[in-house]
Amino acid sequence: MSKPVLLITRKLPEAIEAKAVQNFDARLNSNDEPWFRSGAEIAKRANEVKAEGILIAAGDPMNAETIAALPASVKVITTFSVGYDHVDVKAAKARGITITNTPDVLSFATAETAMTLMLMAARRAGEGERMVRAGKWEGWAPTQLMGVTLENKKLGVLGFGRIGRELADMARGFKMEIHYRDVNKLPPELEKGATYHGSDDEFLATIDVISMHVPGGDATRKWLNAERLAKMKKGSLVVNSGRGGSVDDEALIAALSSGHIRAAGLDVYDGEPVVNPGYMKLENVALLPHLGSATIEVRDAMGHRALDNLIALLVEGKEPPHAVR
């Protein structure tokens, strides 16, 4: 009996590719060649092999145009990510294509990245690392690279979902006071003493650090704009490990340049892998290359979750455990 044809757009961890080959007629991208960046190329390859499933990753352009060009053989598209704002779910459903994702495995790792960025921004770690690597460090000095402590600071978590709550747990270890902004107030057992704010203005005026964990889409597009940045305390810190599009880059660059925002830490970017060149000119911003879930343990778990969804639908004829509704 022939195996279902699975098109995989990106190079995946070794164990995941081996599992894919075992269960599918898997068409791999073992060298991570950049054809995945073109929706037309994804559709072309899917048509050539008559793919029944497609395993994509965050940022792959699975928009309405791409989905319309897929062959009728495609039954399922699974994304190697929790977020699926790069997938036109409505267009897929109109064609009877199931969409699945990989939730519940990367919350802690992404919160670790947010905590790393927060520490880097507060303690000027990026500047110090660059100084040492450039051979410019001349020894300890009483006023060299003085940052600020996180102790007793008010952390504002924008989006108090799984990742935001994991970050809050970590931040409590740094003696930070937790505040959050979300669509609704959470029950006390999830808040764990965190303070809910029902308005943006109150939230922004209260906190010393904002860490952003909101989904992509029109509702959050450039949420952190010039108006909202102006409402934050002078000397505040900005951290974003959620979605690059939720920050107005030009507004944040201006606030960092003026000193109104002391420092920022970013792991995601609007239009990545392109990064606004204004950030490159600033010392007071720490820039990471979308490392949120980049641990061996998490990437393996994501891969297994993605393949389990595909196996359920294409091999076992069952409802996949993580279908997007």
Side-chain angles (χ1 to χ4, degrees), residues 132-153:
V132 173
R133 282 187 179 274
K136 296 180 179 179
W137 185 48
E138 297 178 353
W140 184 88
T143 60
Q144 184 181 80
L145 290 178
M146 292 193 299
V148 293
T149 183
L150 296 179
E151 184 180 12
N152 298 324
K153 295 295 192 296

Side-chain angles (χ1 to χ4, degrees), residues 229 232-233 235-238 252 255-256 258-264 284:
L229 284 163
M232 297 180 70
K233 299 175 186 176
S236 295
L237 305 177
V238 170
L252 179 55
L256 287 165
S258 71
H260 178 69
I261 297 299
R262 179 185 298 277
N284 58 339

